[in-house]
Protein backbone atom coordinates (compact mmCIF):
# COMPACT_ATOMS: atom_id res chain seq x y z
CA UNK A 1 0.00 0.00 0.00
CA UNK A 2 1.21 3.50 -0.73
CA UNK A 3 2.05 5.18 2.57
CA UNK A 4 0.10 8.36 1.78
CA UNK A 5 -3.11 6.32 1.41
CA UNK A 6 -2.91 4.95 4.97
CA UNK A 7 -4.75 7.95 6.47
CA UNK A 8 -7.66 7.41 4.05
CA UNK A 9 -7.90 3.71 4.76
CA UNK A 10 -10.89 2.49 6.80
CA UNK A 11 -9.93 -0.31 9.14
CA UNK A 12 -12.45 -3.17 8.96
CA UNK A 13 -14.49 -3.86 12.10
CA UNK A 14 -13.74 -7.09 13.90
CA UNK A 15 -16.79 -9.28 14.45
CA UNK A 16 -17.17 -11.22 17.70
CA UNK A 17 -16.23 -14.83 17.06
CA UNK A 18 -13.70 -13.93 14.36
CA UNK A 19 -9.99 -13.28 14.10
CA UNK A 20 -9.34 -10.26 11.92
CA UNK A 21 -5.90 -10.34 10.23
CA UNK A 22 -4.64 -7.35 8.29
CA UNK A 23 -1.37 -7.41 6.31
CA UNK A 24 0.37 -4.24 5.28
CA UNK A 25 2.91 -4.20 2.48
CA UNK A 26 5.43 -1.40 3.16
CA UNK A 27 6.44 -0.34 -0.31
CA UNK A 28 8.45 2.74 0.59
CA UNK A 29 9.93 2.56 4.09
CA UNK A 30 10.92 6.23 4.34
CA UNK A 31 7.43 7.43 3.43
CA UNK A 32 5.85 5.16 6.04
CA UNK A 33 7.80 6.71 8.92
CA UNK A 34 5.98 10.04 8.58
CA UNK A 35 2.56 8.52 7.79
CA UNK A 36 2.64 6.56 11.07
CA UNK A 37 3.15 9.66 13.24
CA UNK A 38 -0.58 10.44 13.82
CA UNK A 39 -1.22 6.85 14.94
CA UNK A 40 1.78 6.31 17.23
CA UNK A 41 2.71 7.67 20.64
CA UNK A 42 5.76 9.72 21.49
CA UNK A 43 7.07 6.74 23.46
CA UNK A 44 6.76 4.46 20.40
CA UNK A 45 8.55 6.98 18.21
CA UNK A 46 11.30 7.28 20.83
CA UNK A 47 11.63 3.46 20.91
CA UNK A 48 11.79 3.44 17.10
CA UNK A 49 14.54 6.08 17.07
CA UNK A 50 16.80 3.66 18.98
CA UNK A 51 16.84 1.07 16.16
CA UNK A 52 20.09 1.12 14.22
CA UNK A 53 18.29 0.29 10.96
CA UNK A 54 15.62 2.60 9.59
CA UNK A 55 13.63 -0.39 8.29
CA UNK A 56 13.36 -1.86 11.82
CA UNK A 57 12.09 1.47 13.14
CA UNK A 58 9.48 1.71 10.38
CA UNK A 59 8.29 -1.87 10.90
CA UNK A 60 7.86 -1.15 14.63
CA UNK A 61 5.92 2.06 13.97
CA UNK A 62 3.78 0.56 11.20
CA UNK A 63 2.81 -2.40 13.42
CA UNK A 64 1.79 -0.09 16.25
CA UNK A 65 -0.08 2.27 13.90
CA UNK A 66 -1.96 -0.57 12.20
CA UNK A 67 -2.87 -2.15 15.56
CA UNK A 68 -4.11 1.18 16.88
CA UNK A 69 -6.28 1.83 13.83
CA UNK A 70 -7.77 -1.67 14.02
CA UNK A 71 -8.49 -1.18 17.74
CA UNK A 72 -10.22 2.14 17.04
CA UNK A 73 -12.50 0.37 14.55
CA UNK A 74 -13.11 -2.55 16.94
CA UNK A 75 -13.95 -0.38 19.95
CA UNK A 76 -15.60 2.53 18.17
CA UNK A 77 -13.29 4.94 20.00
CA UNK A 78 -11.08 7.49 18.31
CA UNK A 79 -8.55 7.79 21.10
CA UNK A 80 -6.80 4.62 22.07
CA UNK A 81 -4.72 4.71 25.27
CA UNK A 82 -0.97 4.08 24.99
CA UNK A 83 -0.21 0.38 24.85
CA UNK A 84 1.30 -1.33 27.88
CA UNK A 85 3.39 -4.51 27.76
CA UNK A 86 2.72 -7.72 29.70
CA UNK A 87 5.53 -9.03 31.93
CA UNK A 88 6.73 -11.11 28.94
CA UNK A 89 6.54 -8.22 26.49
CA UNK A 90 3.18 -8.66 24.70
CA UNK A 91 1.68 -5.25 23.94
CA UNK A 92 -1.90 -4.70 25.05
CA UNK A 93 -4.35 -1.83 25.32
CA UNK A 94 -5.46 -1.25 28.94
CA UNK A 95 -8.73 0.36 27.84
CA UNK A 96 -10.18 -2.74 26.12
CA UNK A 97 -10.24 -6.53 26.45
CA UNK A 98 -9.77 -6.91 22.69
CA UNK A 99 -6.51 -8.78 22.18
CA UNK A 100 -4.12 -8.17 19.32
CA UNK A 101 -0.77 -9.38 18.06
CA UNK A 102 1.84 -7.78 15.79
CA UNK A 103 4.46 -9.38 13.56
CA UNK A 104 6.87 -7.99 10.98
CA UNK A 105 9.31 -9.44 8.50
CA UNK A 106 11.05 -7.71 5.56
CA UNK A 107 8.40 -5.42 4.04
CA UNK A 108 5.33 -7.09 5.54
CA UNK A 109 3.59 -6.14 8.77
CA UNK A 110 0.66 -8.20 10.07
CA UNK A 111 -1.74 -7.49 12.91
CA UNK A 112 -4.29 -10.01 14.18
CA UNK A 113 -7.09 -8.87 16.44
CA UNK A 114 -9.75 -10.83 18.31
CA UNK A 115 -12.50 -9.64 20.66
CA UNK A 116 -13.18 -12.99 22.29
CA UNK A 117 -9.85 -14.86 22.56
CA UNK A 118 -6.15 -14.19 22.97
CA UNK A 119 -4.46 -14.19 19.59
CA UNK A 120 -0.96 -14.51 18.14
CA UNK A 121 0.38 -13.96 14.63
CA UNK A 122 3.82 -14.58 13.15
CA UNK A 123 5.23 -13.89 9.69
CA UNK A 124 8.60 -14.83 8.21
CA UNK A 125 9.91 -13.99 4.77
CA UNK A 126 10.83 -17.24 3.01
CA UNK A 127 14.60 -17.36 2.79
CA UNK A 128 17.60 -19.64 2.94
CA UNK A 129 18.13 -20.92 6.47
CA UNK A 130 21.46 -22.76 6.46
CA UNK A 131 21.22 -23.61 10.18
CA UNK A 132 17.69 -25.07 9.95
CA UNK A 133 18.90 -28.57 10.83
CA UNK A 134 20.59 -27.29 14.01
CA UNK A 135 17.55 -25.20 14.97
CA UNK A 136 15.38 -28.34 15.03
CA UNK A 137 17.16 -29.31 18.31
CA UNK A 138 14.90 -26.87 20.18
CA UNK A 139 11.64 -28.30 18.86
CA UNK A 140 9.20 -30.94 20.12
CA UNK A 141 10.49 -34.50 19.43
CA UNK A 142 7.65 -35.21 16.99
CA UNK A 143 8.39 -32.01 15.02
CA UNK A 144 12.11 -32.80 15.05
CA UNK A 145 11.49 -36.29 13.71
CA UNK A 146 9.23 -35.00 10.93
CA UNK A 147 11.72 -32.32 9.87
CA UNK A 148 14.77 -34.56 9.97
CA UNK A 149 13.03 -37.05 7.69
CA UNK A 150 12.77 -34.42 4.96
CA UNK A 151 15.11 -34.08 1.98
CA UNK A 152 17.42 -31.02 2.25
CA UNK A 153 15.47 -29.08 -0.36
CA UNK A 154 12.28 -29.21 1.73
CA UNK A 155 13.78 -28.66 5.17
CA UNK A 156 14.14 -24.86 5.21
CA UNK A 157 10.62 -24.18 3.89
CA UNK A 158 9.04 -26.67 6.29
CA UNK A 159 11.11 -25.41 9.22
CA UNK A 160 9.81 -21.87 8.67
CA UNK A 161 6.23 -23.19 8.53
CA UNK A 162 6.76 -25.03 11.81
CA UNK A 163 8.42 -21.95 13.30
CA UNK A 164 5.68 -19.42 12.49
CA UNK A 165 3.03 -21.83 13.78
CA UNK A 166 4.85 -22.20 17.08
CA UNK A 167 5.51 -18.47 17.40
CA UNK A 168 1.83 -17.71 16.70
CA UNK A 169 0.83 -20.01 19.57
CA UNK A 170 3.43 -18.49 21.93
CA UNK A 171 2.36 -14.96 21.02
CA UNK A 172 -1.26 -15.87 21.75
CA UNK A 173 -0.14 -17.19 25.14
CA UNK A 174 1.82 -13.97 25.60
CA UNK A 175 4.96 -15.74 26.76
CA UNK A 176 7.02 -15.69 23.55
CA UNK A 177 10.15 -17.78 23.78
CA UNK A 178 9.88 -17.99 27.59
CA UNK A 179 7.76 -21.09 27.00
CA UNK A 180 10.07 -23.88 25.79
CA UNK A 181 9.55 -24.74 22.14
CA UNK A 182 9.66 -28.46 22.93
CA UNK A 183 6.73 -28.20 25.39
CA UNK A 184 4.02 -28.24 22.71
CA UNK A 185 3.64 -29.62 19.21
CA UNK A 186 2.38 -28.48 15.82
CA UNK A 187 1.86 -30.42 12.62
CA UNK A 188 4.64 -29.56 10.14
CA UNK A 189 2.60 -30.59 7.08
CA UNK A 190 0.91 -28.38 4.52
CA UNK A 191 -2.62 -28.43 5.96
CA UNK A 192 -3.79 -24.84 6.39
CA UNK A 193 -5.94 -25.25 9.52
CA UNK A 194 -6.02 -27.06 12.85
CA UNK A 195 -2.29 -27.72 13.04
CA UNK A 196 -1.90 -27.60 16.83
CA UNK A 197 -1.29 -31.18 18.00
CA UNK A 198 -0.59 -30.47 21.67
CA UNK A 199 -0.95 -27.06 23.30
CA UNK A 200 1.39 -25.42 25.81
CA UNK A 201 0.58 -26.13 29.44
CA UNK A 202 3.20 -23.91 31.07
CA UNK A 203 1.99 -21.96 34.12
CA UNK A 204 3.36 -18.84 32.52
CA UNK A 205 0.78 -18.85 29.71
CA UNK A 206 -2.24 -16.58 29.77
CA UNK A 207 -4.66 -18.38 32.17
CA UNK A 208 -7.19 -19.07 29.43
CA UNK A 209 -4.55 -20.82 27.29
CA UNK A 210 -2.80 -22.86 29.98
CA UNK A 211 -5.35 -25.66 30.25
CA UNK A 212 -6.70 -25.54 26.70
CA UNK A 213 -6.64 -28.69 24.57
CA UNK A 214 -5.88 -28.38 20.83
CA UNK A 215 -9.58 -28.43 19.95
CA UNK A 216 -10.07 -25.30 22.07
CA UNK A 217 -7.70 -23.44 19.74
CA UNK A 218 -8.16 -22.02 16.26
CA UNK A 219 -5.06 -22.23 14.04
CA UNK A 220 -4.67 -21.14 10.45
CA UNK A 221 -1.96 -20.38 7.88
CA UNK A 222 -2.51 -17.23 5.82
CA UNK A 223 -1.66 -17.86 2.17
CA UNK A 224 -1.84 -14.23 1.08
CA UNK A 225 1.71 -13.75 -0.18
CA UNK A 226 3.85 -16.51 -1.71
CA UNK A 227 7.09 -14.90 -0.48
CA UNK A 228 6.11 -15.22 3.19
CA UNK A 229 4.97 -17.83 5.67
CA UNK A 230 2.33 -16.43 8.01
CA UNK A 231 0.45 -18.24 10.79
CA UNK A 232 -2.22 -17.15 13.25
CA UNK A 233 -3.48 -18.89 16.38
CA UNK A 234 -6.11 -17.96 18.95
CA UNK A 235 -7.11 -19.64 22.18
CA UNK A 236 -10.77 -20.03 21.26
CA UNK A 237 -12.50 -22.81 19.30
CA UNK A 238 -13.75 -22.60 15.70
CA UNK A 239 -13.18 -18.88 15.14
CA UNK A 240 -13.62 -17.54 11.63
CA UNK A 241 -10.39 -16.10 10.18
CA UNK A 242 -10.88 -12.93 8.13
CA UNK A 243 -7.88 -11.78 6.09
CA UNK A 244 -7.28 -8.41 4.40
CA UNK A 245 -4.05 -7.41 2.62
CA UNK A 246 -3.15 -3.84 1.73
C1 LIG B 1 9.34 -11.33 20.47
C2 LIG B 1 8.95 -12.70 19.96
C3 LIG B 1 7.62 -13.01 20.61
C4 LIG B 1 8.72 -12.71 18.44
O1 LIG B 1 9.72 -12.10 17.80
P1 LIG B 1 10.03 -12.13 16.24
O2 LIG B 1 9.40 -13.31 15.58
O3 LIG B 1 11.48 -11.94 16.11
O4 LIG B 1 9.35 -10.78 15.73
P2 LIG B 1 7.89 -10.44 15.25
O5 LIG B 1 8.01 -9.28 14.35
O6 LIG B 1 7.14 -11.62 14.75
O7 LIG B 1 7.17 -9.99 16.59
C5 LIG B 1 7.59 -8.86 17.30
C6 LIG B 1 6.37 -8.32 17.98
O8 LIG B 1 5.84 -9.28 18.88
C7 LIG B 1 5.20 -8.60 19.94
N1 LIG B 1 5.67 -9.26 21.16
C8 LIG B 1 6.79 -9.04 21.88
N2 LIG B 1 6.81 -9.88 22.93
C9 LIG B 1 5.69 -10.62 22.88
C10 LIG B 1 5.14 -11.64 23.70
N3 LIG B 1 5.74 -12.07 24.81
N4 LIG B 1 3.97 -12.20 23.34
C11 LIG B 1 3.32 -11.77 22.24
N5 LIG B 1 3.78 -10.80 21.41
C12 LIG B 1 4.96 -10.24 21.75
C13 LIG B 1 5.53 -7.13 19.83
O9 LIG B 1 4.40 -6.47 19.30
C14 LIG B 1 6.67 -7.11 18.85
O10 LIG B 1 6.69 -6.00 17.98
P3 LIG B 1 6.80 -4.48 18.51
O11 LIG B 1 7.71 -4.49 19.69
O12 LIG B 1 7.36 -3.75 17.33
O13 LIG B 1 5.41 -4.06 18.84
C15 LIG B 1 9.94 -13.74 20.47
O14 LIG B 1 9.38 -14.98 20.35
C16 LIG B 1 11.31 -13.76 19.85
O15 LIG B 1 12.21 -13.11 20.31
N6 LIG B 1 11.57 -14.57 18.83
C17 LIG B 1 12.89 -14.75 18.21
C18 LIG B 1 12.71 -15.04 16.75
C19 LIG B 1 13.87 -15.87 16.18
O16 LIG B 1 14.81 -16.29 16.84
N7 LIG B 1 13.76 -16.17 14.89
C20 LIG B 1 14.77 -16.97 14.18
C21 LIG B 1 14.25 -18.27 13.59
S1 LIG B 1 13.32 -18.14 12.10
Amino acid sequence: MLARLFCQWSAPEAEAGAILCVGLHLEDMAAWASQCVPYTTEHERREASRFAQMADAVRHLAGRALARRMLCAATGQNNIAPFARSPYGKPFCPQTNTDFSISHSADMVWVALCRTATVGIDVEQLRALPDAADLTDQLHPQERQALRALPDNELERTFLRCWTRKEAVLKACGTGLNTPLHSFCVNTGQQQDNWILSAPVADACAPQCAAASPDQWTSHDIAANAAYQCSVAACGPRLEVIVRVM
Side-chain angles (χ1 to χ4, degrees), residues 47-125:
E47 272 188 341
S49 71
R50 296 199 190 105
F51 286 107
Q53 302 293 330
M54 188 262 282
D56 288 325
V58 173
R59 282 189 279 266
H60 173 67
L61 292 173
R64 296 308 183 99
L66 179 57
R68 196 162 277 113
R69 296 208 57 197
M70 289 169 66
L71 279 169
C72 283
T75 59
Q77 299 181 43
N78 284 332
N79 286 317
I80 289 292
F83 297 159
R85 276 190 194 268
S86 74
Y88 292 104
K90 180 169 182 168
F92 67 96
C93 177
Q95 116 199 37
T96 168
N97 288 330
T98 295
D99 195 46
F100 65 90
S101 175
I102 302 171
S103 185
H104 4 69
S105 179
D107 52 10
M108 280 308 294
V109 172
W110 280 91
V111 174
L113 179 145
C114 187
R115 287 165 52 191
T116 50
T118 59
V119 65
I121 192 161
D122 196 61
V123 62
E124 292 286 345
Q125 187 180 38

Side-chain angles (χ1 to χ4, degrees), residues 6-20:
F6 188 53
C7 61
Q8 296 164 22
W9 174 70
S10 299
E13 277 180 44
E15 292 161 29
I19 307 168
L20 175 63

